[in-house]
Amino acid sequence: MSTRLWVSDDFESLVGQAAQWLIQAMVDHQADSNRPFSLALAGGSTPKRLYQVLSQTAQQQGVDWYKVLLVLGDERNVPADHQDSNYRMIRENLLGGIQIPDDNILTIPDPGGDATVAAEKYERILRDRLTKRPDGWPMLDCVLLGLGDDVHTASLFPDSSALTQSRRCYVANWVAKLDCWRMTATFPLVNSAERVAFLVSGASKSSALQALWHSPHDLHRFPAQGIAPQRAELNFFVDRAALGSVVPPQGLVVETD
Ligand code: 6PG
């Protein structure tokens, strides 16, 4: 696994770099392949601006959304129109501005009810709709991830049961610190992707980057350390506020804008 660090002066530049990286990957894929480009979207607040930029520019730069499958990297266990829903955030910041068939948007059935049942249904949808690798794992062409202050990513939180999941690609996960259920892609699914990119912005994330890159390996304390795609390049799009005085690990390829 190679790792590339993209350092931007500010958040807007981070978004621009990540958007161009992703659009190029999608355009290149669509030029070379007949199968759809499967993109797992991160939740939370950081990616909102990226989704807005994608909705405004990707089609003009050659992305055919009819040849894209959109996946929820994780979701809160709330109805799809709830203010905390990642799907709602994606609908409001991306979907409203692009021409993509509803069937290409892989939504989680009945969120807000039984999270275990919803995650099981979504697992079946992913295994049905995504291309399979020879080892049988569904393959995502790109996974976008955020990074929590506690070094969680997707809804893989410290000390949660999903961290040890090795058979499933999507599970319900009880998050004790939030006293709520989440539904999330698992490490095996993310780590079988073709491309993985973290989006990390703001000074509040510096300590999480420090722990992620320099603390002893401990999945239960620092879940994002479990993101290690076997076949893919792992990308970090960070701004200088998030990087702060954190020294990137040896061997990272560093791109600056
Ligand atoms: C979610 C996300 C979560 C998020 C991080 C960072 O559902 O909230 O999947 O993993 O990416 O918590 O969130 P911010 O981008 O809001 O800082």
Side-chain angles (χ1 to χ4, degrees), residues 4 14 27 40-41 53 81 101-102 105 107-108 114 126 135 141 166 168 170 177 187 192 215-216 240 245 248 253:
R4 187 177 293 262
L14 180 162
V27 169
L41 298 169
V53 170
D81 59 355
D102 288 347
I105 306 164
T107 54
I108 295 178
D114 183 324
L126 296 179
D135 60 7
D141 290 291
S166 59
R168 293 273 303 276
Y170 217 88
K177 70 181 284 190
F187 287 128
S192 72
S215 291
R240 292 199 184 283
S245 59
V253 176

Side-chain angles (χ1 to χ4, degrees), residues 60-226:
Q60 296 90 310
Q61 295 189 53
V63 169
D64 180 353
W65 290 101
Y66 274 70
K67 298 177 181 174
V68 177
L69 283 180
L70 294 179
V71 171
L72 295 175
D74 72 311
E75 183 58 286
R76 293 82 180 278
N77 191 35
V78 294
D81 59 355
H82 190 280
Q83 63 179 9
D84 293 341
S85 164
N86 284 335
Y87 170 73
R88 174 175 165 177
M89 178 274 288
I90 292 163
R91 176 168 52 79
E92 291 173 345
N93 291 280
L94 175 61
L95 302 183
I98 62 175
Q99 293 167 358
I100 184 168
D102 288 347
D103 189 49
N104 288 32
I105 306 164
L106 306 187
T107 54
I108 295 178
D110 310 320
D114 183 324
T116 301
V117 169
E120 287 169 351
K121 288 179 180 176
Y122 201 53
E123 167 112 11
R124 286 195 288 273
I125 290 169
L126 296 179
R127 288 184 180 278
D128 176 48
R129 298 290 302 274
L130 297 179
T131 300
K132 297 288 187 310
R133 286 198 176 282
D135 60 7
W137 278 101
M139 184 192 72
L140 288 162
D141 290 291
C142 183
V143 179
L144 299 178
L145 295 170
L147 181 66
D149 299 356
D150 59 359
V151 202
H152 82 262
T153 190
S155 283
L156 298 163
F157 281 81
D159 299 317
S160 63
S161 62
L163 299 178
T164 57
Q165 179 56 247
S166 59
R167 292 178 300 102
R168 293 273 303 276
C169 57
Y170 217 88
V171 293
N173 197 28
W174 175 254
V175 183
K177 70 181 284 190
L178 301 177
D179 193 31
C180 72
W181 283 99
R182 291 282 190 98
M183 294 163 283
T184 185
T186 59
F187 287 128
L189 179 63
V190 176
N191 289 334
S192 72
E194 286 290 294
R195 296 165 193 82
V196 179
F198 279 94
L199 308 171
V200 188
S201 172
S204 69
K205 300 296 174 75
S206 294
S207 57
L209 279 178
Q210 176 69 26
L212 170 56
W213 287 339
H214 297 295
S215 291
H217 193 80
D218 182 344
L219 272 193
H220 292 278
R221 288 181 63 203
F222 313 118
Q225 289 180 341

